[in-house]
Amino acid sequence: MVLTAPEREARADSGESTASSVEEAFVALSAAAPEGWRVELIEGEIHVVPPANGEHEEIVSEVADQVTSRRTNKELRTRTGLGLLVPGASATGKVVPDIVIAPKGSFDDSLEYHDPGAVMLVGEVTSHATADNDRGPKLRGYAAAGIPFYLLIDRERKQAVLHSLPAGKRYTRKVEVDISQPLSLPEPLGFDLDTSEF
């Protein structure tokens, strides 16, 4: 479900601006969302995403397991469901990637949304509801935030894509393989992701 944030209106009797701001609407929907649902604000639109299906979660778990067992840098940790502040992805930049890889201790605070400065890799697994955002606004936002690697598991296109070398709002390098083929993840991960498990 996508909700476009309401525009601010002027009150006829006082001339004061009223109506909820994008941020107020986002906060209200986040608080009201049923458990397992995600609320994201992407390029000025609020997206309410239902819980992922089993296949989606199996892929997320498989990527997390492979990173944990095969990475060469043992200080890196994999997180799921972590909120990030990604300028450029939306007015407020609040997104919840499927996978976040960053050094141990990078998010040891009580914040719900974190600065992405420590993030080495962010990953998304597409679904029918999220594919366009994963390929567009989030791609641009992650690049603009300077996140070194963006891993996109595109189930609809049956591809695994690694974006790297961010410059402005785009990544300048893109490596894609068909799901079932290995995808090389460079250092500091330093291993081939086995996509045949997807």
Side-chain angles (χ1 to χ4, degrees):
M1 172 178 18
V2 178
L3 303 172
T4 303
E7 297 295 324
R8 297 183 80 69
E9 301 171 352
R11 286 180 57 177
D13 58 344
S14 68
E16 295 177 13
S17 293
T18 60
S20 297
S21 69
V22 173
E23 180 68 20
E24 290 167 342
F26 172 79
V27 169
L29 283 170
S30 294
E35 186 173 339
W37 287 65
R38 292 188 320 185
V39 180
E40 296 181 314
L41 184 56
I42 302 171
E43 291 186 339
E45 293 183 344
I46 297 171
H47 297 262
V48 183
V49 182
N53 65 28
E55 179 186 57
H56 178 280
E57 289 307 294
E58 286 294 328
I59 293 171
V60 170
S61 294
E62 181 62 32
V63 172
D65 289 349
Q66 286 190 42
V67 169
T68 299
S69 65
R70 299 180 186 177
R71 70 187 186 274
T72 57
N73 184 330
K74 300 302 180 187
E75 286 298 307
L76 292 177
R77 298 290 184 267
T78 304
R79 295 141 181 103
T80 58
L82 181 76
L84 294 178
L85 288 170
V86 181
S90 69
T92 62
K94 293 181 177 180
V95 295
V96 182
D98 290 323
I99 300 164
V100 173
I101 299 175
K104 179 180 178 180
S106 297
F107 309 108
D108 59 354
D109 54 39
S110 60
L111 300 174
E112 289 183 27
Y113 292 90
H114 304 269
D115 182 288
V119 175
M120 178 56 53
L121 179 144
V122 66
E124 298 286 0
V125 177
T126 65
S127 65
H128 293 298
T130 66
D132 288 341
N133 287 329
D134 294 340
R135 295 182 199 120
K138 285 187 176 180
L139 173 69
R140 293 188 293 273
Y142 296 149
I147 297 173
F149 300 103
Y150 174 34
L151 174 64
L152 178 65
I153 307 301
D154 196 326
R155 293 190 294 168
E156 287 67 32
R157 294 180 179 170
K158 299 184 179 1
Q159 293 181 320
V161 184
L162 183 66
H163 298 274
S164 61
L165 301 175
K169 291 185 177 182
R170 66 186 200 94
Y171 285 95
T172 60
R173 175 180 268 171
K174 175 179 167 181
V175 176
E176 55 189 18
V177 299
D178 292 338
I179 288 180
S180 79
Q181 299 300 310
L183 178 63
S184 181
L185 301 180
E187 296 294 342
L189 295 168
F191 73 93
D192 286 348
L193 184 69
D194 181 2
T195 70
S196 68
E197 297 294 321
F198 303 164

